[in-house]
Amino acid sequence: MKINTQLDKILEKAWSDIPLNREDCKYLLTIDERSFESGLLRAAAASIVRNKNDNSAIILGQIGVDVTPCPGGCNFCTFGEDHTDFKESHLSDYELEEKIRDFCKYDDLYGLYLMTMHTYDLDRFLQTINKAKAHAPKTTQIWANVGDSSLDAFREMKKAGVTGVYHVCRIGEGVETKLNPDDRIQTMKNALDAGLELYTCCEPIGPEHTVDELVDNIFIGIELGITQHAAMRRVAVPGSPLAKYGQISELRLAHIVAVISLCSLTVPTMAYMGVHEPNELSYAAGANIITAESGANPRDNQADTSKNRGMDMALCRKMLFECGFSNIRKGDESKIPLDLDYLIKTDSLV
Ligand code: SF4
């Protein structure tokens, strides 16, 4: 079978470590995810990503530490102040400790995200970081997923032991949210200037978004110099204003994961590729980060997502095994062989 010449050229660049540009990205995103070309693209992305890191994947844990009706007001999020049913609550020390114990029971959690709403109390957040540092193993990195923040705030977080920050300028930022895209990007710069790693994501992708919108969003992270990129589809959370548009399929999400993987891999700091929510098609298309979630979650209307949409550690290990990864990496980059014995040992044959 003959491969389309333009796709062939782009894949050749990717195999040769030559950065893909916006035009390449745009072309790849116009390919139908149900086509032979998409299959080839997804296989190429998985193969290049896996060859670079000894076929390893990482497990992250996310804990929502605060819940408030959020002034971010994002139309796709269950916490937006104009449509949420959530009341203010904060995770107790006991709950935090318990969740960390669950995530870290087998010492195979690469990184732990502590997530707040858009506005948060820095002092309380720094105390939460200190408590997380005290309870998590040394091989688990502590990360922040917070609202727009200053350089000084990130310096404090770094001092407290945070390695990196998840932050995004969302598709439709300023239109579907009450936040300013420039502030979102400045926050990412602040994190980098404070010496923190930056993890970002093209999100929240819905069926109505154009290829140009996706390209612009994907290249924000690439141009800033990310350590992790990712793709997230918007979940049609009942009650959220954008639920009416529906969702893209997991196959389309996997196609986008493959495109972002190929476009990001030549960024010198780029290490891992994520997908939200976890799905097998994306792990066969370049993704190698899986996230276990507990507590508050913008894509869920349950107060503790581990009881609904969120996956636990056992399900994460099992999914990575089923998708053919050979190793799980800890936060110090050491590897644990991912085989049947390991699944049995960690109670993950679920
Ligand atoms: S996505 Fe984040 S900033 Fe937006 S409403 Fe939800 S919690 Fe707030």
Side-chain angles (χ1 to χ4, degrees):
M1 172 153 322
K2 207 166 166 335
I3 302 171
N4 169 293
T5 319
Q6 195 164 351
L7 176 62
D8 196 25
K9 271 193 199 149
I10 295 173
L11 292 183
E12 199 49 54
K13 275 170 84 173
W15 283 111
S16 312
D17 268 342
I18 298 168
L20 304 191
N21 58 31
R22 282 169 177 264
E23 282 309 306
D24 297 328
C25 182
K26 187 170 174 172
Y27 175 75
L28 295 178
L29 287 171
T30 58
I31 295 173
D32 188 319
E33 65 274 13
R34 294 155 295 192
S35 65
F36 165 71
E37 283 79 10
S38 174
L40 204 60
L41 165 67
R42 286 181 274 121
S47 185
I48 294 173
V49 169
R50 289 175 186 234
N51 280 339
K52 278 187 187 276
N53 74 356
D54 200 18
N55 197 23
S56 307
I58 62 174
I59 308 178
L60 309 180
Q62 172 148 287
I63 301 179
V65 298
D66 293 332
V67 172
T68 58
C70 181
C74 307
N75 279 340
F76 42 79
C77 172
T78 189
F79 301 121
E81 63 182 357
D82 297 333
H83 54 264
T84 191
D85 290 330
F86 282 98
K87 303 277 172 291
E88 178 161 351
S89 67
H90 303 280
L91 213 62
S92 69
D93 290 357
Y94 174 75
E95 289 168 318
L96 178 71
E97 213 177 299
E98 197 184 28
K99 286 180 188 302
I100 292 176
R101 211 177 17 248
D102 277 355
F103 278 139
C104 300
K105 185 171 175 193
Y106 294 104
D107 192 9
D108 56 0
L109 188 74
Y110 185 97
L112 178 69
Y113 274 123
L114 301 173
M115 187 186 77
T116 70
M117 303 286 104
H118 179 67
T119 46
Y120 64 102
D121 181 318
L122 179 61
D123 289 336
R124 186 170 56 223
F125 190 65
L126 292 172
Q127 284 168 21
T128 306
I129 295 168
N130 288 332
K131 284 172 205 146
K133 286 291 284 181
H135 293 298
K138 297 265 170 299
T139 48
T140 295
Q141 300 180 15
I142 306 294
W143 298 346
N145 180 355
V146 292
D148 284 330
S149 302
S150 66
L151 177 57
D152 283 346
F154 284 136
R155 283 189 175 134
E156 292 293 318
M157 290 181 211
K158 183 164 165 66
K159 236 189 282 166
V162 164
T163 309
V165 169
Y166 179 86
H167 208 71
V168 299
C169 180
R170 307 175 189 90
I171 308 169
E173 196 79 75
V175 178
E176 300 299 347
T177 75
K178 295 180 182 173
L179 307 175
N180 181 340
D182 294 339
D183 294 344
R184 304 293 295 172
I185 292 172
Q186 186 57 48
T187 293
M188 295 191 223
K189 291 179 179 164
N190 291 343
L192 288 167
D193 289 347
L196 294 166
E197 292 180 354
L198 178 62
Y199 320 129
T200 198
C201 183
C202 176
E203 62 143 295
I205 306 166
E208 75 281 15
H209 292 134
T210 65
V211 162
D212 285 326
E213 283 176 298
L214 297 183
V215 173
D216 285 345
N217 194 272
I218 290 166
F219 272 78
I220 292 171
I222 291 174
E223 285 163 5
L224 283 170
I226 23 85
T227 298
Q228 289 172 19
H229 214 319
M232 182 176 91
R233 71 172 173 175
R234 190 183 60 231
V235 173
V237 182
S240 66
L242 297 184
K244 62 182 179 208
Y245 290 115
Q247 290 182 188
I248 61 167
S249 66
E250 287 189 350
L251 184 64
R252 181 63 185 162
L253 180 61
H255 182 98
I256 296 169
V257 162
V259 175
I260 300 177
S261 302
L262 293 182
C263 292
S264 307
L265 277 169
T266 49
V267 174
T269 45
M270 176 70 184
Y272 293 102
M273 177 69 202
V275 61
H276 309 286
E277 294 164 321
N279 68 90
E280 289 89 345
L281 288 168
S282 292
Y283 294 113
N288 57 5
I289 301 174
I290 194 162
T291 306
E293 292 176 291
S294 196
N297 168 4
R299 287 165 278 114
D300 202 341
N301 51 18
Q302 297 282 315
D304 186 347
T305 193
S306 62
K307 297 188 171 57
N308 194 36
R309 297 196 75 92
M311 283 175 60
D312 66 11
M313 292 294 288
L315 283 171
C316 288
R317 293 183 195 102
K318 179 83 177 347
M319 190 179 275
L320 293 178
F321 172 81
E322 298 295 4
C323 294
F325 288 100
S326 314
N327 305 290
I328 292 176
R329 288 200 191 243
K330 301 192 199 187
D332 62 357
E333 301 297 340
S334 59
K335 289 180 280 186
I336 302 170
L338 178 57
D339 52 21
L340 197 60
D341 286 346
Y342 189 67
L343 292 185
I344 294 168
K345 185 185 139 196
T346 56
D347 297 319
S348 302
L349 273 184
V350 279

